[in-house]
Amino acid sequence: MSSTAYSRPSKLPGGAGERRLPPRLMRSFTGKIEPKKLGLGLLAGGCLALLTYVSLAKLFAIYSPVFASTANASGLLQNAPPGSSSAPQKEAVPPLEDTTFAGRKNDDPADPVDFPEEGPAVAVTEEPGLPEALVSKKEKEAPLPSERNPSEKDQDKSIGDAKMACDENGVDEGFPYARPAVCELSGDIRVSPKQKTMYLVNPSGAAAGFDEKGEKKVRPYARNDDFLLPAVVEVTVKSLPSAEAAPQCTKRHPVPAVVFSVAGYTDNFFHDNTDVMIPLFLTAGHLKGEVQLLITNYKPWWVQKYTPLLSKLSNYPVINFDEDAGVHCFTQGFLGMYRDRDLILSPHPTRNPRNVTMLDYNRFVRAAYGLRREQPAVLGEEPGMRPQMLIISRSGTRKLLNLDEVAAAATALGFNVTVAEAGADVPAFAALVNSADVLLAVHGAGLTNQIFLPTNAVVLQIVPWGNMNWQATNFYGQPARDMQLRYLEYFVDEEETSLKDKYPRDHVVFKDPKALHTQGWQVLAETIMKQDVKVNLTRFQPFLLQTIDKLQE
């Protein structure tokens, strides 16, 4: 860069065109000036020249970072804002041209990456080598501004008035098992697992349903069993007059909460579904994963066992309600779960207002376990193809004593038969059941596995002796029909039950088995439920033939 401050004159002094005084006139002029005055004038002129030079040099001088970093270091420290550390600061570097993308966050400097000259722009990630898909997920899971330890005075003003509605009408005609209370809350909800309490900020008192202490206590297990409920952790909903009276939030959640228990009969596959998974599906399935699950009576092995289903219901890690020490804040929450009739779902204004069906649940579990088979085999579609029959065996009570003979009879009719007992590996057994066209089993929890069958598959239930009609229909028969499965049932007679070897024919087990049902589950469990069966193949074979007919419908 050129500057007039540092350029040479275009003409030398004394060049052509410049008028010079004669030597005689110069001597005459200087001789008239006194030496003292001449010295003062030279001094003043020198000062003026120096001042002019400094001014022009400051105006046109070139910036030197090295000079600035050394000569001005003390000045930068002296100009530091009040309260800043007196430790040496990093050198002040002049701002460079911004080469980052416009979408960069927080004005962070870009990584020194050589961008391609051509081709589409690629978003710069904060973590080198992190795939864009993971970055998007990371940004999605990043805490919201309200989750970063907010002041209670800065709470979201969009939180509505406090509300609490509890469904306590748990008894239906024809269904002997009462349902526990379920409470749905909205407003400023603060969940403290350590205190086993859900605080509801209720300054107006609009939320009703509390006792004289301003509390509502619920044991959030989805089966109202007097024998089981004492072992279920009791959770209290507490009404508070102001936010200041509530514990401070340690984490805010932008999704609803569901607090529930996995106590009781869990680890029995029937009860895992009827008491937990189906009620959870009924309560939170419509939220499409945007829900936070908080589990009390926490069982790590149980959570691991059903991770595919829990992950399908919630996009967020499960919170252990028994050990978590934080205060989790929500604007909507459920204490307990809605349930219907075990494996039966019917429309209901409060517990099933969206008319969720067992066919919906069947599709849900198939999707969760990646079961792609939606229809059974079509007989005759492929030459030599044999339909698949799965016989679920039992090692405890209600064994099929002549299972081998039944399997041989089914094979003779053209079935490819597999015999297996359900175990702890739910995904593997689910895949096995989904591969079957016909499922055959004696009445028991194993028949719950029909939830994995493809639509229009066939279920054949062997019903033990002892007036088991109601249990056969309500536990497995009607659910099979509701899942659009083709259902058959075979009732064992007196000669096919092992009870004939244990009780005389004039015993109440044979004369009036219905009377045993009125005496409670314990009596039933010690008598009728403790039997094995040996089917009469002559009587049973027509039912095997009907399964083939059902597949051809």
Side-chain angles (χ1 to χ4, degrees), residues 43-59:
L43 180 62
C47 292
L48 180 61
L50 180 61
L51 180 61
T52 303
Y53 173 80
V54 172
S55 300
L56 292 176
K58 191 172 183 179
L59 177 63

Side-chain angles (χ1 to χ4, degrees), residues 217-474:
K217 298 182 182 294
V218 174
R219 297 185 187 271
Y221 179 65
R223 180 176 289 271
N224 195 357
D225 189 313
D226 293 338
F227 175 75
L228 295 174
L229 286 183
V232 177
V233 170
E234 186 175 67
V235 179
T236 301
V237 182
K238 191 168 185 177
S239 175
L240 295 178
S242 66
E244 289 72 21
Q248 183 176 356
C249 302
T250 60
K251 182 175 178 61
R252 289 187 177 274
H253 300 262
V255 298
V258 179
V259 180
F260 64 99
S261 170
V262 293
Y265 297 120
T266 51
D267 198 33
N268 174 288
F269 191 64
F270 176 81
H271 290 284
D272 288 342
N273 281 273
T274 62
D275 299 357
V276 181
M277 295 313 309
I278 293 177
L280 189 57
F281 178 71
L282 192 61
T283 304
H286 66 284
L287 298 174
K288 307 299 182 183
E290 290 302 300
V291 61
Q292 177 64 64
L293 307 180
L294 300 94
I295 301 180
T296 188
N297 296 108
Y298 191 87
K299 302 174 182 177
W301 55 266
W302 190 94
V303 172
Q304 182 178 6
K305 181 178 181 179
Y306 291 105
T307 291
L309 297 179
L310 296 172
S311 298
K312 188 72 173 176
L313 282 168
S314 174
N315 298 328
Y316 307 91
V318 168
I319 293 176
N320 183 343
F321 194 84
D322 298 334
E323 295 185 0
D324 192 277
V327 176
H328 299 266
C329 295
F330 303 86
T331 58
Q332 185 181 3
F334 300 85
L335 178 56
M337 298 179 291
Y338 294 106
R339 72 166 294 157
D340 201 338
R341 299 188 178 198
D342 294 327
L343 296 175
I344 294 177
L345 294 176
S346 304
H348 192 274
T350 57
R351 61 176 173 265
N352 191 8
R354 297 169 186 83
N355 193 18
V356 177
T357 67
M358 281 302 296
L359 181 60
D360 295 326
Y361 185 68
N362 168 253
R363 291 169 175 166
F364 162 75
V365 295
R366 282 190 290 165
Y369 287 105
L371 307 177
R372 301 181 180 275
R373 196 160 180 260
E374 298 181 355
Q375 292 289 330
V378 177
L379 299 185
E381 185 176 53
E382 298 180 12
M385 186 202 68
R386 297 165 66 92
Q388 304 293 316
M389 174 181 286
L390 173 62
I391 301 178
I392 297 181
S393 61
R394 296 175 60 92
S395 57
T397 59
R398 281 161 281 144
K399 295 186 296 290
L400 181 58
L401 298 177
N402 57 340
L403 186 151
D404 292 341
E405 295 177 7
V406 172
T411 301
L413 291 175
F415 284 101
N416 187 5
V417 179
T418 300
V419 178
E421 184 173 3
D425 191 346
V426 178
F429 200 76
L432 180 62
V433 174
N434 186 249
S435 69
D437 303 306
V438 176
L439 178 66
L440 186 156
V442 180
H443 177 87
L447 274 167
T448 310
N449 288 281
Q450 66 183 332
I451 62 176
F452 302 125
L453 284 171
T455 305
N456 293 321
V458 180
V459 176
L460 174 54
Q461 177 181 195
I462 298 176
V463 184
W465 169 263
N467 196 44
M468 295 287 290
N469 307 48
W470 188 92
Q471 287 84 352
T473 298
N474 286 274

Side-chain angles (χ1 to χ4, degrees), residues 202-219:
N202 186 24
S204 66
F210 299 97
D211 60 18
E212 63 278 2
K213 296 180 180 179
E215 297 178 345
K216 173 70 176 179
K217 298 182 182 294
V218 174
R219 297 185 187 271

Side-chain angles (χ1 to χ4, degrees), residues 520-537:
W521 168 252
Q522 292 301 321
V523 173
L524 198 65
E526 292 298 323
T527 53
I528 292 176
M529 302 306 290
K530 281 190 174 181
Q531 65 174 299
D532 298 323
V533 299
K534 183 178 181 180
V535 297
N536 183 322
L537 289 178

